[in-house]
Amino acid sequence: MSEDHTHVQEFFGARAADWDRKFPGDGPAFVTAVAEFGLRPGDRVLDAGCGTGRALPALRAAVGPSGTVLGADLTPQMLAAARRAGRAADGALLLADVARLPLRVGCLDAVFAAGLIAHLPDPGANLRELARVVRPGGGLALFHPIGRAALAARHGRDLTPQDMRAEPNLRPLLAGSGWDMTSYADEDDRYLVLAVRRA
């Protein structure tokens, strides 16, 4: 396992038990983001880097009982917290690296990823892996419940032009990874980028 994986697992593993209590007001932002994503009943969707599974109830509601919801995360403690919260009822939980998903080519209609992109060790390659498992015309949502400026302030950092999540940097990164950006929102109370898998 690479140092990147070890660091991610240590960071999130130590915080998993208290994660939902630390961010109690985020629920409505997840619901709104999933609604804007435009999933349909019967869709097959992956929550990539699902953490404690906060998006899973909204994803299940969007795709209905005939849809498929998967949650994949690298950190066992996060998946355990999702199970304790009852969210395994909304989707199958997989201990998996989003850089090497145990899924067939084009088997999904969409990928939802909350707070994931900043933790990817090789964003271009990792976004290509997400594109691999999504059918042409399928969707990608990159989400965070607060925008870049608010997140930087939370962590005591300044925003820089090099921030990968800034639109001028993210648009070509997505394009080089098989995705076409269709919308970009970076506001105090949300960050939501939508993209479509290129044919």
Side-chain angles (χ1 to χ4, degrees), residues 71-92:
D73 203 274
L74 188 64
T75 306
Q77 296 94 324
M78 281 289 193
L79 295 176
R83 289 186 187 95
R84 284 194 303 273
R87 294 176 184 139
D90 294 306

Side-chain angles (χ1 to χ4, degrees), residues 51-168:
T52 62
R54 292 182 294 170
L56 296 179
L59 293 172
R60 171 55 67 197
V63 304
S66 64
T68 300
V69 178
L70 304 173
D73 203 274
L74 188 64
T75 306
Q77 296 94 324
M78 281 289 193
L79 295 176
R83 289 186 187 95
R84 284 194 303 273
R87 294 176 184 139
D90 294 306
L93 298 175
L94 307 174
L95 180 63
D97 181 357
V98 299
R100 289 183 303 278
L101 289 163
L103 299 171
R104 296 187 320 275
V105 172
C107 67
L108 299 174
D109 297 296
V111 172
F112 184 87
L116 176 70
I117 192 166
H119 299 287
L120 296 176
D122 186 346
N126 302 152
L127 288 167
R128 279 192 295 279
E129 172 65 357
L130 296 181
R132 181 187 71 81
V133 300
V134 173
R135 64 169 174 78
L140 171 69
L142 302 176
F143 168 71
H144 200 282
I146 59 176
R148 292 187 310 122
L151 186 61
R154 176 187 287 175
H155 294 296
R157 296 190 316 255
D158 292 324
L159 280 180
T160 69
Q162 293 77 34
D163 184 347
M164 175 177 47
R165 292 163 293 185
E167 184 174 8

